[in-house]
Amino acid sequence: KSRVVSSSATAMSTGKVTQVIGVVVDVQFDEKLLNVLEVEVATGSEYLVLEVAQHPGENTMRTIEIESTDGLVYSQKCVDRGGPIQVPVGQETLGCIINIIGEPVDEKGPIFPNKETEKFAPLH
């Protein structure tokens, strides 16, 4: 599964999962904390997107899983993407069906035909 990612999103720091309770996932970082995480699942082809809900302290973020937490394990590597969840915007999105993290789900292929026409905006 490929991910629609804004060209401005870059990996900022890495951390690890410290607790999973339903859709609530605690993640601890050694470095600076920002808003959104992409958790790299062991298969390498799947990923989970977490949105930060709280900073309880000690470089820990309490996050909410946007999709299923199936396959998420303790100490799994996390990557801070350096900004909020981004979704595609503009004329090309009219008539497209996308999920909450900006991926097309209508089986029509990529929303933007080329990189020059890509436009994204924060979800919130």
Side-chain angles (χ1 to χ4, degrees), residues 18-31:
T18 57
Q19 178 173 279
V20 180
I21 301 174
V23 297
V24 178
V25 180
D26 286 357
V27 179
Q28 187 170 27
F29 281 83
D30 295 327
E31 303 174 22

Side-chain angles (χ1 to χ4, degrees), residues 57-103:
E58 297 184 22
N59 289 346
T60 298
M61 288 190 238
R62 182 143 298 143
T63 66
I64 305 298
E65 173 55 50
I66 301 300
E67 297 178 295
S68 170
T69 56
D70 292 347
L72 195 60
V73 296
Y74 179 79
S75 293
Q76 191 153 12
K77 179 182 175 186
C78 302
V79 177
D80 182 345
R81 296 300 294 174
I85 294 172
Q86 303 261 331
V87 294
V89 296
Q91 287 294 116
E92 295 89 347
T93 63
L94 297 177
C96 294
I97 301 171
I98 59 173
N99 64 17
I100 194 159
I101 58 173
E103 298 172 326

Side-chain angles (χ1 to χ4, degrees), residues 35 51-55 61-64:
N35 295 332
E51 184 171 21
V52 175
Q54 185 179 26
H55 294 266
M61 288 190 238
R62 182 143 298 143
T63 66
I64 305 298

Side-chain angles (χ1 to χ4, degrees), residues 38-44 46-48 72 76-79:
E38 182 174 324
V39 177
E40 297 175 358
V41 177
T43 64
E46 294 289 318
Y47 61 89
L48 302 172
L72 195 60
Q76 191 153 12
K77 179 182 175 186
C78 302
V79 177

